[in-house]
Amino acid sequence: MKKIHMVDLKGQYESIKERVNTSINEVINSTAFINGPEVHTFQKELEDYLGVKHVIPCANGTDALQICMMGLGLKPGDEVITADFTFAATVEVIALLQLTPVLVDVEPDTFNIDPEAIRKAITPKTKAIVPVHLFGQCANMDAIMEIAREHNLYVIEDNAQGIGATYTFKDGSKAKTGAIGDVASTSFFPSKNLGCYGDGGAIFTNNDDLAHTIRGVVNHGMYKRYHHDVVGVNSRLDSIQAAVLRAKLPNLDAYNKARRAAADKYDKAFETVENIETPFRDGADDNHVFHQYTLKVKGTDRDALAKHLNENGIPCGVYYPIPLHLQKAYVDKRYKEEDFVVTNQLVKEVISLPMHTELDDEQIDFITSKVIEFTSK
Ligand SMILES: *Cc1c(COP(=O)(O)O)cnc(C)c1O
């Protein structure tokens, strides 16, 4: 059996090696390392793929989120509601801009921000909601957009884990994640569903004025060379990363399909196992792109299971072990433990198994047999 990786970047590279190597070499020969034609072409190709009017590439997914908030003109003291159960980057940029993060609980099945908890957290200072399409599953965008419309709030989608997922609205219409809210961010970190070979990120929006503002923000607040109209940042996707992404974008749907196929096999193996709850899937198949395959283990020692898997050469992860509202950097007197019942429970139960585009049946059989061996003891 091939060695099992949490994410098999090497195996995936082997399958696209020639195209990637040629593209990278072309960039080096052209010496257009920054803002080269590859960046512009990738931007257009991603706009087409997502069905969104504007893609603005930038340096990473954390910058992308920050720039979304800068572009919307959020000001110190404005409250921004986001999920307690997500990667810290989401709340970090809110705090960094001296906005006020308001963390709320998530749904026990999808792990995504709970629309009812959003409603309860709204105050006259609330300006924006940041749903995260966690582990690759679409947040409840029908409910979130409705709340935003009712209260005149911005919606900033953190799409770092959800790229390629398709949301189906209640009326049957569909849209890619990241093309639904006012603006969205994504990350091209190597292990993300569309990853480059270093750092990278992007911002999406259908709003022409906002896109114009953001194009200045990413480039030192410049709209005309050496005229700095607003305080900006320097956040660029480099041409070599764009070349890698151009080679991978045509495969993104196939990559996500491979992830779903692996998830289906995991699901099937765990179907009748009592102590394991497999990932809930809400609606259509393409609603979930399985950035992570995350189980909930009940009545079993999760950390001992992780150790058992590691001892058998199976990597696994706990995303995330501590609720954000309990992280030192983000504690706040306003938070009450009874408002975080779900997150407080999830951090004890979740475990993510290896998930990538190169998992084969032999590996999946081995992984599932080792999980079952432990949980049925
Ligand atoms: C990865 C990730 C980010 C940050 O992306 P970087 O490119 O690493 O800065 C933000 N939010 C979520 C939910 C992520 O998973």
mmCIF file of all heavy atoms in Angstrom, residues 60-62 65 86-87 89-90 132 158 160-161 187-189 192 199-200 320, ligand 1:
data_model
loop_
_atom_site.group_PDB
_atom_site.id
_atom_site.type_symbol
_atom_site.label_atom_id
_atom_site.label_comp_id
_atom_site.label_asym_id
_atom_site.label_seq_id
_atom_site.Cartn_x
_atom_site.Cartn_y
_atom_site.Cartn_z
ATOM 1 N N ASN A 60 -2.836 35.985 -0.160
ATOM 2 C CA ASN A 60 -3.267 34.809 0.616
ATOM 3 C C ASN A 60 -4.714 35.003 1.066
ATOM 4 O O ASN A 60 -5.280 36.098 0.898
ATOM 5 C CB ASN A 60 -2.348 34.561 1.822
ATOM 6 C CG ASN A 60 -2.303 35.747 2.763
ATOM 7 O OD1 ASN A 60 -3.277 36.056 3.438
ATOM 8 N ND2 ASN A 60 -1.174 36.444 2.794
ATOM 9 N N GLY A 61 -5.269 33.975 1.663
ATOM 10 C CA GLY A 61 -6.687 34.016 2.030
ATOM 11 C C GLY A 61 -6.979 34.925 3.211
ATOM 12 O O GLY A 61 -8.088 35.446 3.338
ATOM 13 N N THR A 62 -5.998 35.106 4.085
ATOM 14 C CA THR A 62 -6.189 35.992 5.232
ATOM 15 C C THR A 62 -6.216 37.443 4.764
ATOM 16 O O THR A 62 -7.099 38.220 5.161
ATOM 17 C CB THR A 62 -5.067 35.771 6.276
ATOM 18 O OG1 THR A 62 -4.972 34.372 6.545
ATOM 19 C CG2 THR A 62 -5.339 36.524 7.552
ATOM 20 N N LEU A 65 -9.569 38.270 3.106
ATOM 21 C CA LEU A 65 -10.652 38.609 4.040
ATOM 22 C C LEU A 65 -10.505 40.039 4.544
ATOM 23 O O LEU A 65 -11.478 40.792 4.619
ATOM 24 C CB LEU A 65 -10.576 37.687 5.255
ATOM 25 C CG LEU A 65 -11.409 36.425 5.255
ATOM 26 C CD1 LEU A 65 -10.998 35.557 6.430
ATOM 27 C CD2 LEU A 65 -12.899 36.762 5.344
ATOM 28 N N THR A 86 -14.296 27.842 13.394
ATOM 29 C CA THR A 86 -13.648 28.044 12.098
ATOM 30 C C THR A 86 -12.171 28.259 12.352
ATOM 31 O O THR A 86 -11.729 28.312 13.503
ATOM 32 C CB THR A 86 -14.242 29.246 11.331
ATOM 33 O OG1 THR A 86 -13.491 29.471 10.118
ATOM 34 C CG2 THR A 86 -14.185 30.528 12.133
ATOM 35 N N PHE A 87 -11.400 28.402 11.267
ATOM 36 C CA PHE A 87 -9.992 28.731 11.395
ATOM 37 C C PHE A 87 -9.861 30.175 11.880
ATOM 38 O O PHE A 87 -10.657 31.033 11.510
ATOM 39 C CB PHE A 87 -9.293 28.535 10.047
ATOM 40 C CG PHE A 87 -7.826 28.834 10.087
ATOM 41 C CD1 PHE A 87 -7.003 28.182 10.997
ATOM 42 C CD2 PHE A 87 -7.265 29.761 9.238
ATOM 43 C CE1 PHE A 87 -5.646 28.462 11.042
ATOM 44 C CE2 PHE A 87 -5.904 30.043 9.277
ATOM 45 C CZ PHE A 87 -5.093 29.397 10.181
ATOM 46 N N ALA A 89 -8.141 32.682 11.183
ATOM 47 C CA ALA A 89 -7.954 33.802 10.245
ATOM 48 C C ALA A 89 -9.218 34.639 10.126
ATOM 49 O O ALA A 89 -9.156 35.869 10.002
ATOM 50 C CB ALA A 89 -7.554 33.276 8.869
ATOM 51 N N THR A 90 -10.370 33.982 10.173
ATOM 52 C CA THR A 90 -11.632 34.672 9.968
ATOM 53 C C THR A 90 -11.835 35.766 11.013
ATOM 54 O O THR A 90 -12.207 36.899 10.681
ATOM 55 C CB THR A 90 -12.815 33.669 10.033
ATOM 56 O OG1 THR A 90 -12.433 32.454 9.374
ATOM 57 C CG2 THR A 90 -14.044 34.239 9.370
ATOM 58 N N VAL A 132 -18.671 31.007 6.820
ATOM 59 C CA VAL A 132 -17.542 30.210 6.315
ATOM 60 C C VAL A 132 -18.143 28.926 5.759
ATOM 61 O O VAL A 132 -18.964 28.302 6.438
ATOM 62 C CB VAL A 132 -16.569 29.868 7.471
ATOM 63 C CG1 VAL A 132 -15.367 29.092 6.958
ATOM 64 C CG2 VAL A 132 -16.133 31.128 8.212
ATOM 65 N N ASP A 158 -16.422 33.606 3.491
ATOM 66 C CA ASP A 158 -15.071 33.053 3.583
ATOM 67 C C ASP A 158 -15.116 31.705 2.868
ATOM 68 O O ASP A 158 -15.586 30.700 3.405
ATOM 69 C CB ASP A 158 -14.649 32.887 5.043
ATOM 70 C CG ASP A 158 -13.232 32.316 5.162
ATOM 71 O OD1 ASP A 158 -12.710 31.796 4.159
ATOM 72 O OD2 ASP A 158 -12.662 32.384 6.263
ATOM 73 N N ALA A 160 -12.551 29.955 1.657
ATOM 74 C CA ALA A 160 -11.235 29.309 1.605
ATOM 75 C C ALA A 160 -11.344 27.787 1.517
ATOM 76 O O ALA A 160 -10.501 27.132 0.921
ATOM 77 C CB ALA A 160 -10.409 29.699 2.829
ATOM 78 N N GLN A 161 -12.409 27.224 2.104
ATOM 79 C CA GLN A 161 -12.539 25.763 2.105
ATOM 80 C C GLN A 161 -13.607 25.274 1.126
ATOM 81 O O GLN A 161 -13.809 24.078 0.991
ATOM 82 C CB GLN A 161 -12.874 25.277 3.530
ATOM 83 C CG GLN A 161 -11.799 25.690 4.539
ATOM 84 C CD GLN A 161 -11.994 25.082 5.924
ATOM 85 O OE1 GLN A 161 -12.891 24.266 6.141
ATOM 86 N NE2 GLN A 161 -11.146 25.477 6.846
ATOM 87 N N SER A 187 -8.615 31.167 -0.473
ATOM 88 C CA SER A 187 -7.189 30.925 -0.270
ATOM 89 C C SER A 187 -6.720 29.874 -1.266
ATOM 90 O O SER A 187 -7.438 28.903 -1.534
ATOM 91 C CB SER A 187 -6.972 30.395 1.144
ATOM 92 O OG SER A 187 -5.685 29.815 1.271
ATOM 93 N N PHE A 188 -5.511 30.066 -1.800
ATOM 94 C CA PHE A 188 -4.901 29.042 -2.656
ATOM 95 C C PHE A 188 -3.733 28.368 -1.938
ATOM 96 O O PHE A 188 -2.785 27.905 -2.569
ATOM 97 C CB PHE A 188 -4.435 29.658 -3.986
ATOM 98 C CG PHE A 188 -5.517 30.355 -4.759
ATOM 99 C CD1 PHE A 188 -5.377 31.693 -5.118
ATOM 100 C CD2 PHE A 188 -6.678 29.689 -5.122
ATOM 101 C CE1 PHE A 188 -6.370 32.352 -5.832
ATOM 102 C CE2 PHE A 188 -7.681 30.344 -5.834
ATOM 103 C CZ PHE A 188 -7.522 31.677 -6.187
ATOM 104 N N PHE A 189 -3.787 28.356 -0.604
ATOM 105 C CA PHE A 189 -2.799 27.616 0.189
ATOM 106 C C PHE A 189 -2.699 26.200 -0.405
ATOM 107 O O PHE A 189 -3.705 25.646 -0.860
ATOM 108 C CB PHE A 189 -3.292 27.580 1.648
ATOM 109 C CG PHE A 189 -2.324 26.968 2.614
ATOM 110 C CD1 PHE A 189 -1.237 27.697 3.079
ATOM 111 C CD2 PHE A 189 -2.496 25.663 3.059
ATOM 112 C CE1 PHE A 189 -0.338 27.129 3.976
ATOM 113 C CE2 PHE A 189 -1.594 25.090 3.953
ATOM 114 C CZ PHE A 189 -0.516 25.821 4.409
ATOM 115 N N LYS A 192 -5.450 23.546 0.065
ATOM 116 C CA LYS A 192 -6.862 23.862 -0.206
ATOM 117 C C LYS A 192 -7.314 23.139 -1.494
ATOM 118 O O LYS A 192 -6.483 22.647 -2.252
ATOM 119 C CB LYS A 192 -7.048 25.377 -0.349
ATOM 120 C CG LYS A 192 -6.587 26.167 0.878
ATOM 121 C CD LYS A 192 -7.577 26.116 2.033
ATOM 122 C CE LYS A 192 -6.916 26.420 3.348
ATOM 123 N NZ LYS A 192 -7.340 27.573 4.086
ATOM 124 N N ASP A 199 1.932 30.649 -1.322
ATOM 125 C CA ASP A 199 0.748 31.341 -0.827
ATOM 126 C C ASP A 199 0.014 32.029 -1.969
ATOM 127 O O ASP A 199 0.635 32.481 -2.934
ATOM 128 C CB ASP A 199 1.153 32.403 0.214
ATOM 129 C CG ASP A 199 1.212 31.827 1.627
ATOM 130 O OD1 ASP A 199 0.242 31.135 2.025
ATOM 131 O OD2 ASP A 199 2.215 32.062 2.319
ATOM 132 N N GLY A 200 -1.289 32.124 -1.820
ATOM 133 C CA GLY A 200 -2.087 32.840 -2.817
ATOM 134 C C GLY A 200 -3.499 32.995 -2.300
ATOM 135 O O GLY A 200 -3.925 32.286 -1.386
ATOM 136 N N TYR A 320 -11.669 21.902 14.774
ATOM 137 C CA TYR A 320 -10.665 22.667 15.479
ATOM 138 C C TYR A 320 -10.766 22.296 16.940
ATOM 139 O O TYR A 320 -11.863 22.077 17.443
ATOM 140 C CB TYR A 320 -10.920 24.148 15.238
ATOM 141 C CG TYR A 320 -10.783 24.476 13.748
ATOM 142 C CD1 TYR A 320 -11.893 24.437 12.897
ATOM 143 C CD2 TYR A 320 -9.531 24.736 13.189
ATOM 144 C CE1 TYR A 320 -11.755 24.684 11.533
ATOM 145 C CE2 TYR A 320 -9.397 24.995 11.823
ATOM 146 C CZ TYR A 320 -10.501 24.953 11.002
ATOM 147 O OH TYR A 320 -10.370 25.161 9.659
HETATM 148 C C1 LIG B 1 -7.058 28.632 5.025
HETATM 149 C C2 LIG B 1 -8.114 29.493 5.541
HETATM 150 C C3 LIG B 1 -7.982 30.893 5.597
HETATM 151 C C4 LIG B 1 -6.693 31.614 5.354
HETATM 152 O O1 LIG B 1 -6.038 31.353 4.186
HETATM 153 P P1 LIG B 1 -4.471 31.635 4.049
HETATM 154 O O2 LIG B 1 -4.239 31.608 2.581
HETATM 155 O O3 LIG B 1 -3.763 30.548 4.780
HETATM 156 O O4 LIG B 1 -4.189 32.978 4.630
HETATM 157 C C5 LIG B 1 -9.074 31.639 6.006
HETATM 158 N N1 LIG B 1 -10.222 31.073 6.362
HETATM 159 C C6 LIG B 1 -10.391 29.730 6.354
HETATM 160 C C7 LIG B 1 -11.716 29.161 6.742
HETATM 161 C C8 LIG B 1 -9.345 28.899 5.957
HETATM 162 O O5 LIG B 1 -9.520 27.571 5.963
#
